[in-house]
Amino acid sequence: MGNVIASAVVSLDGFVADTKDDVGPLFDWYGNGPVEVYGADPGRPFMVSQASADYMNATWPKIAACVIGRRLFDITNGWNGVPAVGEHVFVVTHTPPTDWPFPDAPFTFVSGIEDAIAQAREFAGDREVAVTGGNLTGQALAAGLVDEIAYSLVPVVFGTGVPFFGDYTGGQVLLEDPEIVQGDRVTHLHYRVRR
C-alpha cells in the first residue's frame, strides 16, 4: 500500500483558510512563476517557480486518490467533477449530495474518515493517498492513519482561520526532519511521521 499524506498550503501560523474559507494570498504562488504545471485537470494550469514545479512534478503523479471533506467539496463544487490531483476523490460526508451535476465523476461519498482512507488506499494500491488539511487531517492523525505531512508554508500570518490540523486533540506526534524545497513565496516542507 502507498502512503497517506496530509497535505495543504498553510499560513505561517498554521491556517489553510480564513474564517470565511477564503485562502487569500495562500495560493498566490500557484501563479507567480514561469513554469507550467498541471494536476489532474488539463484545463487548469499552475504557473510556478522551477523549484515548486520540480517538487510538484515529483509528488503529484504519485497520488492516485484524494480524501476531502464535504466543506471543501461544496466550496469548490468538486472542481466541477475533475479531481485537482489524482484519479479519484473520496468525500467524507454524512449527507451525500443529491443534485450534483456530475454524477458520473470519479467521486465517492463516504461517511467516515477511516472508511474513506481505507477505500482510497484500496483504490490507490501502491500509489499515494492525499488527505486535505483541516478537521480531516486531525481525525486521520488521531487515528494513526497519516504516514507523511506535506506542508507548503506561505509567508503570511492569518491570526485566525481554519487550522491545518483542525480540532486535533490527540497526543504528540513526532516527525522526521523535513525535506525542504524553497519556492517563490512558498517553502515546501515534507515530513515523514515517526513510527
Side-chain angles (χ1 to χ4, degrees):
M1 287 277 174
N3 290 321
V4 174
I5 304 169
S7 177
V9 179
V10 187
S11 69
L12 187 61
D13 50 349
F15 297 105
V16 297
D18 66 17
T19 56
K20 297 178 183 173
D21 291 321
D22 186 357
V23 295
L26 289 178
F27 285 4
D28 287 356
W29 67 274
Y30 279 130
N32 71 356
V35 183
E36 200 169 70
V37 175
Y38 291 86
D41 186 347
R44 194 177 333 157
F46 299 95
M47 300 300 297
V48 297
S49 69
Q50 185 65 59
S52 288
D54 291 346
Y55 175 76
M56 294 160 75
N57 286 327
T59 56
W60 283 10
K62 295 178 183 176
I63 297 170
C66 293
V67 177
I68 71 171
R70 178 62 188 264
R71 183 165 148 183
L72 180 59
F73 174 83
D74 287 343
I75 290 168
T76 64
N77 190 36
W79 302 287
N80 295 324
V82 180
V85 178
E87 293 113 40
H88 201 94
V89 177
F90 294 83
V91 182
V92 178
T93 180
H94 295 296
T95 312
T98 57
D99 59 351
W100 192 44
F102 308 100
D104 297 327
F107 284 67
T108 300
F109 299 91
V110 185
S111 64
I113 186 67
E114 292 186 21
D115 192 26
I117 288 178
Q119 288 187 43
R121 290 187 89 171
E122 184 176 337
F123 176 87
D126 291 336
R127 294 178 62 205
E128 315 291 358
V129 171
V131 178
T132 58
N135 280 331
L136 287 184
T137 290
Q139 292 168 16
L141 194 64
L145 299 173
V146 175
D147 301 303
E148 300 177 21
I149 295 173
Y151 203 86
S152 291
L153 183 64
V154 173
V156 62
V157 175
F158 271 25
T160 187
V162 180
F164 176 77
F165 293 103
D167 298 328
Y168 179 73
T169 57
Q172 292 181 0
V173 176
L174 292 177
L175 309 174
E176 300 295 345
D177 290 335
E179 295 175 29
I180 302 169
V181 175
Q182 181 61 57
D184 182 4
R185 302 294 299 161
V186 62
T187 303
H188 306 285
L189 303 168
H190 202 106
Y191 300 88
R192 289 196 60 79
V193 174
R194 188 176 287 181
R195 300 282 186 212

